[in-house]
Each structure stands twice: as C-alpha cells, then as structure tokens.
Amino acid sequence: MQSILRILAAAALAFAAAQSGAQSYPAKPVTLIVPFAAGGPTDIVTRQLAQAMAKSIGGTVLVENKPGAGGTLAVEFVAKAPADGYNVLIHHIGMSTAPALYRTLRFNPMTDFEYIGQVVDVPMTLVANKDFPPNSFAELIPYLKANKDKVNYANAGLGAASHLCGLLFMSTVEIDLQTIPYKGTAPAMTDLQGGQVQLLCDQTTQTTSLINTGRIKAYGVTTREKVSSLPNLATLDSQGLKGFDLAVWHGMYAPKGTPKAATDKLNAALQAALKDPAFRDAMDKLGAIVVPPAKQTPEGLRTFLKAEIDKWTPIIKKAGQYAD
Ligand code: ASP
C-alpha cells in the first residue's frame, strides 16, 4: 500500500512539474537560428515568422544567423544545443540533401531533432546581373555553352538550395560552370548586382522585387507552376527543361529531448503564425506558399523529411558532388 502511495505521489509530482514547465515556457527569449546570412531568403522568411510567433507564444522571439558550410554549421549547432526549447532551427530543403552531399556530417537529421512542423514552400528563379548578355532563356543556353569560362555561378555553399538548383540546372543542360560559394544568397546577390558573379538561382523571397524593378535579369521559375508575384516569368519546365521542378520547403526543429511542453508551444505558435493575415500577406507578396495544415505538424515534417532524403540521395550521388 505504502509503495502504491509513493508511486502515486511521484506521478503527481511529475505531472505538476510538467504542468509548471508548460506554464513557464518560454521563461526567456526563444531564438530562431538561421543557417544563412542576414537579408537572404531564409532570413527574410524567419524574421517574418519570428514576429508572427511572438504574438502567440507569450514571449520574445529573436533571430540569429549562423551561416557557414552550406547551412550545416547551424544544424550542428542546434543539434548540440541544450534541449530546452530556446534554440530552434529553421532550415530548408538542405536538411534533406546534406546527408548525401557531405561525407562526414556531425548530425543526423532523422535522430538528432524534435520536429516542430513545416513552414512555407518557396519557388526559385534563375537570375543574372542586369547587363548579362542573354536576354531570354533561349539565348542563355547557347551563350553559356560558348562562354563557359567567363561565367561564374554563385551559390550559398554545398548543401544550400542555390547549390542544389545549380547542380540540377548544370546537369540538365550539360554545362559545368565555375561555382563561387557565399555564406548565403544575400551576399551572393550583392556581388551579382555588382558584376563579380553572373548567374544565381535564388528563392523568390529575395528575387521578386529585384526582378519586378528590373535590377536583375530573370530566365525562369524552377517550379512547374508559375509564381503569382512574378506573373511574367515563365517556368524552366515550359521553356525546354522538361520536368524541372524545385521548390524550397522549410521546417522548424528543436534539439532531441526538448520537453514536449516546449515543442507543443512552439508548434502552436507556428500554426498560429501560419494563419496570421500579416504573415500570409507578406509571404504572398514574396511568392512563398504557406504549407497546408497537415504539414504544419511534427509528423508532417518528419515523414516529409524522410521522403526528401530518399528522393535526393540517389540524384546527388549520381551527380557525384561531395564535401568532407
Ligand atoms: N537562398 C539560400 C540558399 O541557397 C539560402 C539563404 O541565403 O537564405 O539556400
């Protein structure tokens, strides 16, 4: 009898601790970690998200950029951060391509994280400096073939979406361009506009207004569907690259072992943000698409991540690009 009472008392204490954990989280600011440079596409989405999440989480939501190694430095940082709900990773499709691209990876996307949910899907655009000679996609391919050694393709490092897009583009059109890695596509875009690099594939979140105001040249959208914020830009698929289809999906992750009280609150704040009219409107203007409710869940992210790893691994292995 005594031992039953002791077990009941312990269970009551554990329940009370969990309840107070749920009530007290967040007790300090939550930081969303961005794996790329400030001002770029992942950063733009995350800053809007932080503002929207702060409205419902009951605390401050900060954004911190930890760029490097195509986003993998930030992923490793969060994988090893204290599992207390205060370091939260926002990462894109790179979470599913890194295992195939890196020979040694100091994290495992399938075992080192608690999944919070998916966020938005963002199409990419193939763009160039405004004075780059080809004026259309039809002119671009012959120009690249004839001037291969004069063209530099910028990206945000091995594992970035811009890297993946370049890999797919170059292998589809069978051209091997010199690539220049940056810590994000924000600095890559600065150099593209300055003429230090010529070509880049980047999310519409960064390119929409630059294209619409004529500050850069655009050759096509990487998804099968056109993008509403860029009504005059045709898809690469419709311009001859049949089947070209690349959208940059984003997910939110916490370190493995983060208490459920915290992950539940993060998920509730994420779902509230994705319904928030100001957030939705901002995403709409940038060509980003809020994912449907089933994807906004931990299970929605986990199953999609697994499917994406299975999808990209053979494609990347076939392209034969690796880093140590
Ligand atoms: N757009 C970048 C990429 O290539 C990342 C960034 O700078 O947000 O993945």
Side-chain angles (χ1 to χ4, degrees):
M1 182 67 184
Q2 271 232 319
S3 65
I4 293 174
L5 281 178
R6 238 181 276 129
I7 291 167
L8 284 177
L13 273 178
F15 181 73
Q19 288 298 98
S20 83
Q23 274 151 21
S24 62
Y25 176 85
K28 60 180 186 178
V30 173
T31 303
L32 302 183
I33 309 285
V34 174
F36 298 101
T42 316
D43 184 71
I44 290 170
V45 167
T46 307
R47 282 177 199 272
Q48 294 283 348
L49 189 64
Q51 270 184 30
M53 285 179 69
K55 291 182 194 168
S56 65
I57 205 163
T60 308
V61 182
L62 305 173
V63 176
E64 195 177 322
N65 302 81
K66 284 200 180 291
T72 59
L73 286 186
V75 185
E76 188 186 339
F77 172 84
V78 174
K80 294 180 178 152
D84 55 10
Y86 294 103
N87 286 290
V88 176
L89 174 72
I90 302 289
H91 197 13
H92 60 31
I93 191 167
M95 194 73 161
S96 61
T97 55
L101 285 166
Y102 284 81
R103 283 203 180 88
T104 359
L105 209 55
R106 285 185 288 270
F107 61 84
N108 182 333
M110 292 314 302
T111 54
D112 289 351
F113 297 93
E114 301 295 340
Y115 305 102
I116 310 297
Q118 284 184 62
V119 187
V120 284
D121 292 336
V122 189
M124 302 188 91
T125 48
L126 183 63
V127 299
N129 175 281
K130 71 173 173 32
D131 300 320
F132 194 51
N135 282 318
S136 63
F137 183 75
E139 287 178 23
L140 177 68
I141 305 300
Y143 181 88
L144 292 179
K145 295 214 161 156
N147 297 278
K148 188 174 124 24
D149 297 334
K150 287 194 222 141
V151 180
N152 287 325
Y153 175 88
N155 67 28
L158 208 76
S162 44
H163 166 260
L164 179 64
C165 184
L167 193 74
L168 295 178
F169 173 69
M170 288 184 232
S171 67
T172 309
V173 298
E174 296 177 351
I175 301 172
D176 196 15
L177 300 172
Q178 167 83 18
T179 58
I180 313 285
Y182 288 81
K183 289 199 164 168
T185 44
M189 187 60 83
T190 305
D191 274 9
L192 180 113
Q193 289 181 269
Q196 287 88 341
V197 290
Q198 290 73 42
L199 211 56
L200 170 67
C201 191
D202 201 16
Q203 284 99 306
T204 56
T205 28
Q206 172 158 261
T207 61
T208 295
S209 78
L210 295 172
I211 295 170
N212 285 338
T213 52
R215 280 177 286 165
I216 57 175
K217 222 172 235 187
Y219 298 109
V221 174
T222 62
T223 45
R224 296 268 182 106
E225 301 285 311
K226 285 176 67 173
V227 178
S228 59
S229 62
L230 293 163
N232 301 323
L233 194 58
T235 65
L236 293 177
D237 173 74
S238 71
Q239 297 183 88
L241 302 193
K242 266 269 138 280
F244 202 104
D245 192 15
L246 179 61
V248 183
W249 60 271
H250 296 70
M252 183 183 280
Y253 309 81
K256 188 80 187 170
T258 301
K260 192 163 181 317
T263 55
D264 282 353
K265 275 209 176 167
L266 286 165
N267 180 262
L270 170 66
Q271 295 207 22
L274 299 184
K275 285 190 193 75
D276 183 276
F279 179 80
R280 293 183 75 94
D281 185 49
M283 291 303 106
D284 207 38
K285 290 201 173 88
L286 298 171
I289 302 142
V290 171
V291 297
K295 288 189 165 188
Q296 299 170 13
T297 61
E299 190 48 29
L301 173 56
R302 199 194 64 79
T303 43
F304 191 71
L305 172 64
K306 172 79 176 63
E308 284 285 285
I309 293 174
D310 293 346
K311 170 182 165 179
W312 290 112
T313 301
I315 296 173
I316 291 166
K317 292 244 147 92
K318 200 166 154 217
Q321 287 218 358
Y322 305 102
D324 288 324

